[in-house]
Amino acid sequence: MANIKSAIKRARQNVKRNAHKSTQRSTARTAVKAVETAGLIFIGPSSSSIELMGFKDKAKKLMSQSKVPVVPGYNGFKQDDKVLAVEADKIGYPIMIKAIAGGGGKGMRLV
């Protein structure tokens, strides 16, 4: 029992030591990576999955490929007003504009 408690204590110290170095956005990924690096099993998404979910376009593409229902949207590179207006008409109003990464939803706009 002492070895188990010692192993858990070391794992927690390793996670804390690595997690505090990260920014708020990547804390979960860093903590999970520390657990994985320590040879422990994290119950939950892998660090690579957490990293992927930080990029909305990549996450949405993966979910679509995995047959997970996603909210309709436009993820194209053409960002001129005409293209965006046509795509918005296809989606239907109201629409929400969201950056593909970062911000924690601060930049979302309802149109």
Side-chain angles (χ1 to χ4, degrees):
M1 187 67 167
N3 287 341
I4 294 170
K5 287 181 179 180
S6 176
I8 291 171
K9 182 179 178 182
R10 283 194 311 269
R12 287 185 177 143
Q13 289 170 340
N14 189 30
V15 169
K16 286 178 185 177
R17 187 170 41 254
N18 286 294
H20 87 278
K21 297 175 186 175
S22 65
T23 63
Q24 183 178 0
R25 183 176 70 81
S26 63
T27 298
R29 179 182 50 82
T30 302
V32 173
K33 185 67 176 171
V35 169
E36 294 167 346
T37 301
L40 302 170
I41 296 171
F42 177 75
I43 309 287
S46 66
S47 59
S48 59
S49 293
I50 293 171
E51 183 173 359
L52 178 68
M53 293 305 139
F55 297 95
K56 309 314 177 265
D57 57 338
K58 292 177 184 177
K60 190 170 186 174
K61 182 178 180 181
L62 176 65
M63 294 300 106
S64 294
Q65 291 171 345
S66 301
K67 307 294 185 216
V68 174
V70 296
V71 175
Y74 173 69
N75 295 316
F77 291 104
K78 294 184 179 179
Q79 300 289 308
D80 63 82
D81 290 347
K82 277 187 176 182
V83 170
L84 294 177
V86 168
E87 293 300 324
D89 288 340
K90 288 181 191 175
I91 296 166
Y93 292 91
I95 62 168
M96 185 178 298
I97 299 172
K98 169 78 174 91
I100 62 169
K106 296 175 189 168
M108 286 192 281
R109 299 292 180 261
L110 191 62
V111 181

